Structure formats: structure tokens, C-alpha cells
Amino acid sequence: MMSGDCALCVLDAAEALWANDQCFVISADVTGVGTICRVIWRAHIREMSDLDAAARGAFMDIVWGVEAVLRTLTRPAKMNVASLGNQVPHLHWHVIPRYRDDAYFPETIWAPAHRDALTRPLQDTVLRAALEAGLGNQAKSPSIMA
Amino acid sequence: MMSGDCALCVLDAAEALWANDQCFVISADVTGVGTICRVIWRAHIREMSDLDAAARGAFMDIVWGVEAVLRTLTRPAKMNVASLGNQVPHLHWHVIPRYRDDAYFPETIWAPAHRDALTRPLQDTVLRAALEAGLGNQAKSPSIMA
């Protein structure tokens, strides 16, 4: 279920902000935008339609939980969510709060930048606590820590 | 549930490739890529986390059905799916087959083009029949035609 040359297979879910036994959540700061989250499926699966309906639903429930947490923390103009994977074909979701004055708005963050803009960072401790409150404390379940 | 100045609220679902009473599917040809689908929620709702879990699940079931149909028809290198809405904040999903030699690969279709490339069109009649076979013929149910 892992691919040796995949940049996501080698990530250690134990270092994630939040995890359950199917997926985990990490963050990244996008310059000119702010902190975004990525929700990464543990197994090396290529497409959402390769998952069965139950797994897909469980994955998306976490994505929507992360969206809700980021909305509450950042009060964005709009949320953007995307599963792309052209460069790393291992299922992962980008969950991106967008701001009217961010570097790319109203284009996607993959377009050329429109303007110089502040980067709105979230502290890991704040994000971790909010994810735990929003999604539950599944990271410490025995199945994960084993 | 409609917004008078919204470009998606004014679309006529009766002209869609496929529809049920919650959402409908249209297509567009992206130059240098090919035919993509958009799955549009009928009601003017801003974010996925504004839907209740049942509606969100029903919406995503259609998105995954469209993904499966497009995979079968196009045999892409990768599927890209995204809900953005910075310009039109009315829930809609882009379901995009990507090809190694398309104009943007491996970047997103919102990045600058890398190369000149063919546009791979799907015929509406083919796509409509495949959607009906994959998603069922809900478009002709009385609740839609009323």
C-alpha cells in the first residue's frame, strides 16, 4: 500500500497535526496567502474513484471537518478545496482559506500572483487544538499509536 | 435560494447534460486540455460546510460519479477535482481529466500554459449517454420536469 518513490508515502503521520487510521492532516504556509491544510490519505491510492464509497465518505468527512475548522479560525472570503495530484499521484486534499487581498484572489493560488500580500500564518498549537476540538482526538487512539 | 446577480443561479438546469433535483452537470472545453465537467448545486450556497451532511454526501456522490464517467471516457493521466468559487461563490465542482501532454501538465489548469497542445473534445451526445448510464436517468423524474 506504499510506493517507495512517493513524497507522501514517506511522511510520518505521527508528526501530523491530526491523524486517524486512514488519513492525516498537515499544514503549510503559502506565501501571500497564509496557512493551508492538506489532508492526506495514508495508503498510496491514485484517484477518489479508486476508493470504495465508505472510505471516500470517511475521507471527505475529515476534509469538511478541516474546512470548518479553518473557516472558524481564519474567516476567509472563500474556501478553496482541491484534489489534484498531477505531481504526486497519492490522494491528498488542499484546504485553502482565501482572502480578498491575498496575492492571487480571485484567481486560484496556482495562477500568477496579482499583488504583494501579507502571509497570514496560523500557529501550529492553535491549529492542532482546533482540529482536535473539531475532529475529535483520534490521533491518540491505540490503532494509531501502535 | 437564488441570487439575482449570480452567473450560476441563472443557468437553466433543463439544458444540462444531467440533472437531479439538487444539482446538475454541464461541460466545457478547456483549450489545450479537453472537455471538463462542472457539477453545480442548484441552490445558491457558498461553502460545502454550509450544506448539511446528507446534502453534502449526495452532492459528492454525483461528483464521484462524474469522475468515474470521465475516467472511463478519457483514460486520463490524472483526475483533478476542485471547488473554488472565488469569482462565483455558488457551490460548483470542476471535474477535470488531465493528460501528460496537455497544455498545463503537471501544473493545474489555472497555471500559465507550458506548451501548445491539442484540445480533446468529448461529444455532448456521448457524454450525456455516459452520464445517464453512470448516474441514472434522474433528469426525467417528475420532480425535475415540474
Side-chain angles (χ1 to χ4, degrees), chain A residues 66-83:
Chain A
V66 171
E67 174 178 295
V69 163
L70 285 174
R71 282 183 80 182
T72 301
L73 289 177
T74 67
R75 306 282 167 186
K78 187 71 186 67
M79 290 301 302
N80 291 178
V81 292
S83 173

Side-chain angles (χ1 to χ4, degrees), chain A residues 46-50 56 64 67 71 77-84 86-87 98 106-108 110-111, chain B residues 46-50 56 64 67 71 77-84 86 98 106-108 110-111:
Chain A
R46 187 173 194 86
E47 303 285 7
M48 290 299 292
S49 41
D50 291 331
R56 202 160 49 217
W64 306 134
E67 174 178 295
R71 282 183 80 182
K78 187 71 186 67
M79 290 301 302
N80 291 178
V81 292
S83 173
L84 306 168
N86 304 317
Q87 312 206 30
R98 298 297 308 279
E107 307 297 332
T108 75
W110 302 285
Chain B
R46 186 174 195 85
E47 304 284 7
M48 290 297 292
S49 41
D50 291 332
R56 202 160 50 217
W64 306 133
E67 175 178 293
R71 283 183 80 182
K78 187 72 186 66
M79 291 301 302
N80 291 178
V81 291
S83 173
L84 306 167
N86 304 317
R98 299 297 309 278
E107 306 297 332
T108 75
W110 303 284

Side-chain angles (χ1 to χ4, degrees), chain B residues 18-140:
Chain B
W18 187 92
N20 67 12
D21 55 3
Q22 293 177 308
C23 62
F24 58 97
V25 181
I26 63 176
S27 68
D29 284 354
V30 175
T31 302
V33 182
T35 300
I36 73 168
C37 283
R38 295 196 177 99
V39 189
I40 301 168
W41 193 249
R42 287 181 183 249
H44 187 79
I45 304 286
R46 186 174 195 85
E47 304 284 7
M48 290 297 292
S49 41
D50 291 332
L51 294 177
D52 65 32
R56 202 160 50 217
F59 192 11
M60 295 314 298
D61 283 348
I62 302 305
V63 173
W64 306 133
V66 171
E67 175 178 293
V69 163
L70 286 174
R71 283 183 80 182
T72 300
L73 290 177
T74 66
R75 305 282 168 187
K78 187 72 186 66
M79 291 301 302
N80 291 178
V81 291
S83 173
L84 306 167
N86 304 317
Q87 311 205 32
V88 185
H90 172 140
L91 282 175
H92 62 284
W93 283 86
H94 304 271
V95 186
I96 308 165
R98 299 297 309 278
Y99 311 97
R100 290 196 189 286
D101 58 355
D102 76 35
Y104 304 91
F105 201 88
E107 306 297 332
T108 75
I109 67 165
W110 303 284
H114 280 317
R115 63 184 74 85
D116 290 325
L118 290 176
T119 304
R120 292 169 164 86
L122 291 172
Q123 287 189 303
D124 265 10
T125 49
V126 171
L127 189 48
R128 192 182 291 266
L131 290 168
E132 196 163 303
L135 296 171
N137 183 8
Q138 296 186 50
K140 298 195 178 90

